[in-house]
């Protein structure tokens, strides 16, 4: 199969794009059906409306079949069937004629982005409304209109899914992404399809040091629900974690740290981004906005960071119909996939090493020194000597490589050779 | 009463201005009389000349009734009655005719500031002398002059005073200022009048968490004397402290840190100045020059910093007759008063908080979130969420606010609401 | 004797310059003979070829009597007798006629430095070769040549020497330099002659707090051999240490730190260089290249830094015949000698002090304050007061002086006076 990982992920995003997702409802289940087909071991969980989760409560389930604004001749001027962004998320049902003024108080458009349909929700306050491009809005003729939203907001369930890929140890790496947005590509489908891509790649590894917990939840309430059911195990086991969101465009990478920015997740992210994408954007935890708000909250305290392309809220297409499958590309997804596979490779390989002999080893007699310094494909001998100089049992691989200015993944073969030659000992506690 | 705190303080400075203070003597007692009238609970202490205090000894008491230089017709060309700066502090008595050359070796003037009478003392070396504006000096005609200083330098006492305002705990905040300079306004009267203003304000508070120790001493020897009598209690109890000096002009604020610059006094000073007066000047402890020299000395080790307007030695009027009640203004005093009341408010409010629930609380259902984000007068919701994100039991209020870039005093009402809603717990040890 | 230390060191370098040193052999022994004459207590050690030292093995002993390239008329066109750099170090013996092409594959020259004879060795791979200036090489006529190298490479010994100057305590300062390069002056003779100069100076001190371990070894293998025989004692006792190399030119000073750059050796080097030579160059440990590679290796972990003039590899004359006694001067050597004697003086004097009285001492009554502030030759009173302000038992002399911005050696007399007056206590653990 000559399809690249990026192309495969883009194809999956294309399949998932038309589904009308929300916090709850049939669209989420339909999305999880597709993900389960891709990831056979996926476990799906239903949580009833009204369930208490820490300070929150699972909301009513929302489903929608149709929605439109029509003129009195029956011409649909706003139509959910053409774009599911047209109806405000969690809109209560309605079916009546309204005056021009009332209609306008339920319409949302963006004068600065006249061709874009905005994305609006009203999860916690009963409301109905329509989103429309400003261009279309300006073409509407004043008068009475018929509005219809064929939705239900009733007791039901909130759905989420998780995939646990066991490793040699109970220590876990969390990959969390969300499935609650209707037809938008970067925020959000890039996240779930990258999660699928990484899960498939993890399944190809000969062995995994860490267990991987891959989580598909509706944003915010889903993360709260998930944590309320898994907190103790996650606090005990989580070694590193990332929120996968806005990972599909081709713009510069960005990094949003954990609460204090000093966990292993932060260190591996900064190391990999620093070497692969030197122009990456550094945000602070004050810029947070996705599920790291829950994962890094006091009392949860998980080591979770985000590596994104352009951060949510920072790209012009964000939360509009312009966030589509032209913005998210196979190249964009593939580049982020490469960054994440490097980060995970490095997490798996990150150990504390100690040399076995005082003084520098005599690498020449073992063929390690000249081979390496001459062969173009190898690591420069200097990097190897610098690594050994700090392999004193107090630094992990990332720490040494940050110090010596070397991209850690390029050293892995060398470290295997040095270990095989009996010159390095793994002293990870 | 429509008088502002700044006006009240300026009025008090005006009353105290003419008194001829020195390390010891009637001028100090007269000053303490006025302060006692303002602060009824003030306790006054006399320490006999010759008393040993650490490495120092209380000097002889100096009193002066008159002093002048007169020509042989009896015209006073330099006259203590017109300005008490004219006589060198601690001048020994003299009454004789002197030659022109001898007179000149006992005259001090400032060629670069020809209209200013300089302030000169000779506490520890017996000497007599006069200070005179350079303009006046240049008008003197060569010849013999009669010099008279009607002073006494005899065994007596050194006077100081303290006011203890008890709080809920024994932990203390020290406010120390000095009363040993003759007619100069910024250095020194701005200090004592601000101390009086703050004491009156502290008495209006519904309750005080800390006990306040407000100290009026002659500079250097007075601080040494005071410490020699109170060191153990102060070492045990002092939570924070400030030296009040040069606080009355309208120029930029400045900050002089404690010995290592990392005490709570430093943190609160930098936080408040950083938000209220972003152009404030940061000195180092190497620039010290007032009683922080004693309070922060090894073996004393108190957490004492200074928040000033222009630092002593850095304003042109310093230690001259130009340091008068035009340099020190009600506005200048009032601005510093506002900074100090904010600092004390923040010290009182500074606690370590911890959220009571994992994940973000659901603020919407409690009316906390929308209220706050909409009302103009309230704190932005973002600041509240950022506060909660770091309320993990490891940071105090100042630490969190420094991290999230919010001026701590603006959060206090919000913290009360969050605490009342059961979302925050005070975990201060 | 009016000879300066710099002149004396330059004279010794001139005597040692012609000797053909290498890792092993007669040239090293001849060099150590001269050093032993200068330093009577020098102890010399022979280590047999083949001895295992950690991961290394002592190589065969190399000796050379003659070497040349001659045309077929017998004219020597390259001649070891004229410059011992002409023969590649550790060349195997040869005596035969060679074709022009073969000769050229054994010739080394530097097109960019056409007048320089390069310095080349082949310690661990059997090889013969000649080094020649590029100018001379270009004058060679194509044709057959006779090459002769009258060398031996046989089982023998590796020689090194050490001088231990006992001090009041077992704690040691290591001064290590190397004796394995033929006729080159900065890299290497400047090192051994500075070591001799410092040893002679140390012998003149009335007493030494530290024991001095002065080591003359061939570079790399010699340091490995030395450590393999002394590691435990050195790990137990070494307080500070320096590698002496490239210390004789007149260019800017440079500093190469220990592995983490935070040992007392680093602190004293940065303090002294920072005050004496503010334009000094700071390298990192990644720039290392001499015996600090062994002394600072994991498992050895000694606090060893280097203070150099221009670092090896960074001056154009490095490892060529241009590195001669015009590049290394009496002034250059003397300046480095002054830096090292200051560093050692400061190491000897560096203590943790604590004042004996709370508050500032009354220096005036002891004549300490005015004397110091008036005398031009003395230390400013401000520096003394600043020192006392931080003499709280937590900082050593260097730490205080770094903080107060004072060059520590200028304070030593003052500290003696303060100690004699009972105002300072030595609380070094």
């Amino acid at each position: 199969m000559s399809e690249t990982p990026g192309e495969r992920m883009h194809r999956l995003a294309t399949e998932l794009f038309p589904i009308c997702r929300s916090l709850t409802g049939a669209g989420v289940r339909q999305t999880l059906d597709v993900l389960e087909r891709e990831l056979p071991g996926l476990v799906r969980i239903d949580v009833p409306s009204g369930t208490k989760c820490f300070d929150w409560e699972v909301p009513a389930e929302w489903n929608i079949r149709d929605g439109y604004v029509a003129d009195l001749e029956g011409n649909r001027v706003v139509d959910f069937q053409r774009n599911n962004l047209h109806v405000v998320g969690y809109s209560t049902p309605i079916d009546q004629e309204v005056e021009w003024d009332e209609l306008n108080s339920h319409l949302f458009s963006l004068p600065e982005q006249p061709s874009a349909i905005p994305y609006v929700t009203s999860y916690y306050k009963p409301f109905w409304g329509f989103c429309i491009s400003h261009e279309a809005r300006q073409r509407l003729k004043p008068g009475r209109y018929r509005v219809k939203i064929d939705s239900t907001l009733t007791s039901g369930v909130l759905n989420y899914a998780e995939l646990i890929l066991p490793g040699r140890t109970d220590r876990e790496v969390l990959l969390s992404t969300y499935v609650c947005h209707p037809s938008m590509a970067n925020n959000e489908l890039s996240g779930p399809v990258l999660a699928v891509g990484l899960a498939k790649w993890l399944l190809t590894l000969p062995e995994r040091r860490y267990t991987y917990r891959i989580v598909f939840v509706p944003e915010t309430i889903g993360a709260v629900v998930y944590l309320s059911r898994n907190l103790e195990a996650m606090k005990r086991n989580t070694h590193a974690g990332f929120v996968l969101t806005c990972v599909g465009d081709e713009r510069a990478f960005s990094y949003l740290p954990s609460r204090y920015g000093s966990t292993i997740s932060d260190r591996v992210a900064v190391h990999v981004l620093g070497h692969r994408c030197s122009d990456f954007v550094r945000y602070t935890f004050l810029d947070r906005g996705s599920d790291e708000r829950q994962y890094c909250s006091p009392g949860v305290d998980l080591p979770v960071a985000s590596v994104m392309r352009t951060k949510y809220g920072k790209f012009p297409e964000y939360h509009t119909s312009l966030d589509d499958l032209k913005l998210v590309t196979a190249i964009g997804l593939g580049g982020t996939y490469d960054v994440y596979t490097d980060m995970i490779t490095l997490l798996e390989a990150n150990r504390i090493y100690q040399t076995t002999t005082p003084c520098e080893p005599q690498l020449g007699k073992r063929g390690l020194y000249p081979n390496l310094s001459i062969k173009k494909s190898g690591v420069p001998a200097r990097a190897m000597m610098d690594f050994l100089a700090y392999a004193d049992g107090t630094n992990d691989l990332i720490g040494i490589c940050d110090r010596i200015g070397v991209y850690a993944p390029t050293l892995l073969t060398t470290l295997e050779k040095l270990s095989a030659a009996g010159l390095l000992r793994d002293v990870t506690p």
Side-chain angles (χ1 to χ4, degrees), chain A:
Chain A
M1 177 158 180
S2 67
E3 206 178 29
T4 64
E7 287 162 353
R8 214 177 315 139
M9 292 185 282
H10 195 264
R11 189 162 46 80
L12 182 58
T14 307
E15 178 181 1
L16 293 167
F17 191 78
I19 302 171
C20 183
R21 282 163 294 275
S22 186
L23 290 190
T24 57
V28 180
R29 285 187 289 274
Q30 201 180 335
T31 301
L32 297 180
D33 289 345
V34 174
L35 297 176
E36 192 176 359
R37 180 198 73 207
E38 295 289 315
L39 302 173
L42 195 73
V43 174
R44 296 168 61 167
I45 293 95
D46 304 341
V47 184
S49 302
T51 304
K52 287 278 293 174
C53 304
F54 299 133
D55 197 47
W56 298 67
E57 202 169 289
V58 174
E61 181 178 324
W62 185 66
N63 283 287
I64 178 164
R65 274 165 303 273
D66 198 5
Y68 59 84
V69 178
D71 60 26
L72 296 189
E73 287 86 60
N75 300 309
R76 294 190 173 195
V77 295
V78 183
D79 188 355
F80 173 80
Q81 303 302 340
R82 271 186 291 170
N83 192 319
N84 56 31
L85 293 174
H86 277 311
V87 174
V88 166
Y90 263 65
S91 274
T92 48
I94 188 165
D95 183 5
Q96 62 178 76
E97 281 186 21
V98 295
E99 297 296 331
W100 177 244
D101 281 356
E102 186 179 2
L103 175 65
N104 268 287
S105 70
H106 289 259
L107 284 188
F108 298 88
S109 66
L110 299 169
E112 325 77 41
Q113 292 180 287
S115 70
I117 306 165
Y119 168 55
V120 178
T121 64
S122 183
Y123 296 139
Y124 296 102
K125 182 179 149 205
F127 183 77
W128 64 265
F130 291 89
C131 300
I132 178 174
S133 76
H134 204 65
E135 291 166 355
R137 186 175 191 166
Q138 287 182 304
R139 284 193 300 267
L140 289 185
K141 294 195 179 65
R144 289 174 64 84
Y145 282 85
R146 175 173 190 82
V147 298
K148 170 152 186 182
I149 298 178
D150 180 9
S151 66
T152 55
L153 191 54
T154 55
S155 188
V157 297
L158 175 148
N159 304 89
Y160 71 80
E162 69 181 4
L163 177 68
I164 307 289
L165 301 179
R168 280 206 323 279
T169 71
D170 285 345
R171 301 288 294 160
E172 292 181 357
V173 176
L174 170 69
L175 301 176
S176 178
T177 190
Y178 48 89
V179 284
C180 59
H181 288 63
S183 297
M184 287 176 294
N186 204 20
N187 185 37
E188 82 185 6
L189 286 174
S190 66
V193 303
L194 177 61
V196 169
L198 292 173
K200 287 176 187 260
W201 172 76
L202 283 163
L203 287 163
T204 68
L205 297 186
E207 71 162 2
R208 292 180 294 272
R209 179 180 176 191
Y210 294 111
T211 293
Y212 288 79
R213 182 186 288 264
I214 306 176
V215 173
F216 301 88
V217 287
E219 206 178 10
T220 304
I221 181 65
V224 173
V225 168
Y226 190 83
L227 283 166
S228 75
R229 299 165 66 101
N230 296 281
L231 183 60
E232 286 319 307
M234 292 173 80
K235 288 185 77 137
R236 190 171 55 244
N237 294 333
T238 306
H239 175 67
F242 300 93
V243 171
L244 307 183
T245 171
C246 299
V247 291
D249 61 292
E250 296 184 15
R251 297 168 184 151
F253 282 89
S254 62
Y255 154 68
L256 190 130
S258 69
R259 189 159 89 229
Y260 292 107
S262 56
T263 71
I264 183 69
S265 309
D266 297 284
R267 293 174 61 227
V268 77
V270 170
H271 184 81
V272 170
L273 289 176
H275 283 273
R276 289 191 63 118
C277 347
S278 58
D279 61 341
F280 79 97
V281 178
R282 284 172 184 261
Y283 289 100
T284 78
F285 190 62
L286 302 182
D287 301 303
R288 73 199 179 285
S290 186
D291 285 335
E292 67 281 354
R293 287 159 47 205
Q294 314 311 325
Y295 294 128
C296 298
S297 65
V300 177
D301 307 306
L302 296 179
V304 172
S306 292
V307 168
M308 298 164 276
R309 293 286 191 153
T310 329
K311 193 177 86 80
Y312 36 82
K314 295 288 183 182
F315 54 98
E317 303 87 352
Y318 174 73
H319 271 196
T320 76
S321 56
L322 304 178
D323 180 358
D324 61 17
L325 290 161
K326 290 194 292 293
L327 175 66
V328 166
T329 66
I331 288 172
L333 288 165
T336 315
Y337 174 90
D338 291 344
V339 163
Y340 269 92
T341 52
D342 266 18
M343 291 200 299
I344 292 170
T345 299
L346 185 47
L347 280 172
E348 291 270 325
N350 191 45
R351 297 177 175 288
I352 299 176
Y353 287 104
Q354 187 157 31
T355 57
T356 56
T357 174
C359 293
E360 293 181 333
Q362 225 280 33
L363 296 174
K365 71 181 182 192
R366 296 190 173 82
L368 285 168
Y369 193 84
N371 281 359
L372 289 165
S373 65
I374 289 166
K375 273 198 205 160
K376 275 290 184 209
S377 60
V379 153
R382 187 79 207 182
M384 180 170 59
M385 298 310 291
D386 286 347
F387 179 86
L388 290 169
Y390 286 100
D392 58 11
T394 70
N395 304 300
D396 64 9
L397 170 59
I398 297 173
I400 295 178
C401 287
D402 280 341
R403 194 175 271 278
I404 69 177
V406 169
Y407 188 40
T410 65
L411 270 187
L412 299 182
T413 310
T414 300
L415 298 194
E416 276 169 29
K417 284 185 191 165
L418 290 169
S419 297
L423 293 174
L424 272 187
R425 192 167 48 224
D426 177 356
V427 295
T428 315

